[in-house]
Amino acid sequence: MPFNPSYLNTLRLPTPAHYLVSSFNVVLSGTAPLSPQLVSCPDFIQDLVTPADVQGPFYVPSDVENPARFPPRSTACVPDPVCLGDNGCSTSSYFSGLPFTLTGTVIGSDGSECWLVEGAQVDLWSADPSGQYWSVDDWWRRLEEEEHSKHYNCRAHGLSTSTGAYSFSTLIPGHYVAGSDWRPRHLHMKVAAEGLGPVVTQVYFEGDPLLGELDTACGACKSDHPDLVVAMTMYGGEEEGGVDFELGMLEGIGVVEGEGGGTAAPTDAPTAEPTAEVTAEVTAEVTAEEPGEEEPVVEEPVVEEPVVEEPVDEEPVDEEPVEEEPVEEEPVEEEPVDEEPVDEEEATLNFPASSAKHTAIASSAFALLFAAAFAH
């Protein structure tokens, strides 16, 4: 697995001021009322009605629980929750998350016409940002804070308005492990209205790396269904208006929990054993892949090529013998010195030899004259 889902759960938006918004219309199949508020049917990609998806084991009907303990509410997961401990609460704590608002319209359809549905019961539940469900057996864990007294974390429900509208604020749920496999982030929804067939489905998020074939923890789930994957818009911060957003962008622009996007979670927060085991496995896989990530280090010798070329830069040093050629020409400069002996020899050979010759001739002539004189 090229990523660590438990690490992805810690990623936050760039600042606490940022938040995400999506729209998800729910279409129920049935017969139109006498005076319907007709509207254009949604432009679904594959189905006219909302596709059904696996309900999962964590749904508890609101009418089974004491309504006074679970009044209608539009907030599901709350930031910085404290679990009410009188029921043996052991759900792990988390701090902050990815703030998210889901809006939509409940619509009825008979296959040819569509209309707005007022008073539809809309139920929403999910795991928290760390991937933990706040449900056990036949009840849902409550929150201890006074402002959320008698409320249940990561669960909300209410009725659609006269225009069929609904709206919930929550935190995008985290990836969680089932067995030895991980699930993509998702919201569970159940929508029912009088005279129309109920829909139980799941809402997924664009850019989630575990959609489709990688959603191996739930083979029957439809995380690859295009009508169940919602696009998101990010608002807040210094940006004017919203910008298109998908979960795959978190690793590029997000921050780790506690580094600007929220308060750090306690290090001793309890974690479910399966999650710990899978996290260890995933961490081991990521660690095993680290050598592949260190390829830039292997390429460092390539970066150091200029160092290898330094001998080429030292070529002027090899040319030094050429610069020494004038030294070799010194003998040429000494030629006058070599010529001096030649001149002296010539002088010795010519001048002394000539003097001897002339002396001999003069002596001979003088002898003849001297002889002649005595002869007379």
Side-chain angles (χ1 to χ4, degrees):
M1 183 177 292
F3 47 83
N4 187 335
S6 60
Y7 167 73
L8 297 180
N9 288 348
T10 68
L11 296 177
R12 301 290 181 259
L13 297 179
T15 72
H18 286 88
Y19 60 97
L20 304 171
V21 176
S22 289
S23 178
F24 182 73
N25 295 325
V26 180
V27 180
L28 308 179
S29 179
T31 303
L34 295 178
S35 300
Q37 299 182 60
L38 296 178
V39 294
S40 298
C41 293
D43 186 18
F44 283 139
I45 297 174
Q46 293 186 3
D47 302 305
L48 180 59
V49 297
T50 299
D53 206 346
V54 176
Q55 177 173 285
F58 299 109
Y59 175 70
V60 179
S62 58
D63 56 357
V64 170
E65 297 178 331
N66 184 345
R69 295 180 61 189
F70 187 31
R73 63 188 297 235
S74 60
T75 299
C77 295
V78 300
D80 307 337
V82 177
C83 184
L84 191 63
D86 58 2
N87 292 317
C89 180
S90 61
T91 298
S92 63
S93 298
Y94 64 89
F95 291 91
S96 74
L98 305 175
F100 177 69
T101 298
L102 182 67
T103 64
T105 303
V106 181
I107 298 171
S109 174
D110 60 5
S112 59
E113 293 183 324
C114 293
W115 60 90
L116 301 177
V117 177
E118 179 181 0
Q121 175 71 38
V122 184
D123 206 339
L124 180 81
W125 71 99
S126 73
D128 66 20
S130 65
Q132 298 292 319
Y133 278 94
W134 286 56
S135 177
V136 60
D137 298 331
D138 59 349
W139 55 275
W140 198 270
R141 294 187 176 112
R142 290 185 291 153
L143 298 168
E144 190 174 61
E145 294 90 338
E146 183 177 352
E147 63 176 311
H148 301 297
S149 178
K150 302 179 181 179
H151 286 171
Y152 296 79
N153 196 32
C154 298
R155 184 179 176 193
H157 69 97
L159 301 176
S160 61
T161 67
S162 60
T163 59
Y166 75 86
S167 178
F168 295 110
S169 62
T170 187
L171 301 172
I172 289 184
H175 298 282
Y176 68 83
V177 66
S180 60
D181 297 308
W182 293 84
R183 286 227 63 206
R185 303 173 189 258
H186 60 279
L187 298 167
H188 290 273
M189 289 188 71
K190 183 174 184 178
V191 183
E194 186 177 354
L196 300 173
V199 167
V200 176
T201 192
Q202 296 183 39
V203 179
Y204 304 93
F205 304 95
E206 195 171 78
D208 192 313
L210 290 176
L211 296 178
E213 293 181 356
L214 293 181
D215 185 8
T216 54
C218 183
C221 293
K222 300 177 181 178
S223 61
D224 60 346
H225 198 297
D227 292 333
L228 298 180
V229 180
V230 296
M232 290 178 285
T233 303
M234 182 172 67
Y235 294 93
E238 299 179 356
E239 298 87 355
E240 294 184 3
V243 296
D244 294 339
F245 183 86
E246 62 176 40
L247 290 180
M249 298 169 64
L250 274 176
E251 291 189 271
I253 68 171
V255 296
V256 177
E257 184 179 21
E259 297 181 359
T263 305
T267 56
D268 58 350
T271 304
E273 291 184 3
T275 303
E277 293 174 0
V278 175
T279 300
E281 292 176 5
V282 174
T283 303
E285 291 175 3
V286 173
T287 304
E289 293 177 356
E290 284 181 359
E293 297 175 355
E294 292 181 355
E295 288 181 359
V297 177
V298 177
E299 295 176 355
E300 283 183 1
V302 178
V303 178
E304 293 180 353
E305 285 183 359
V307 177
V308 177
E309 294 176 356
E310 285 183 1
V312 177
D313 295 335
E314 293 179 355
E315 287 181 0
V317 177
D318 297 334
E319 294 177 356
E320 287 182 0
V322 177
E323 294 178 0
E324 292 178 354
E325 288 180 0
V327 177
E328 295 176 0
E329 293 176 356
E330 288 180 0
V332 177
E333 293 178 0
E334 293 177 355
E335 286 179 1
V337 178
D338 295 337
E339 292 174 357
E340 288 179 1
V342 175
D343 293 338
E344 290 179 358
E345 288 177 1
E346 289 180 357
T348 303
L349 292 173
N350 296 331
F351 183 74
S354 298
S355 298
K357 182 178 180 180
H358 288 136
T359 303
I361 295 173
S363 299
S364 300
F366 181 76
L368 290 174
L369 289 175
F370 182 77
F374 277 95
H376 289 286

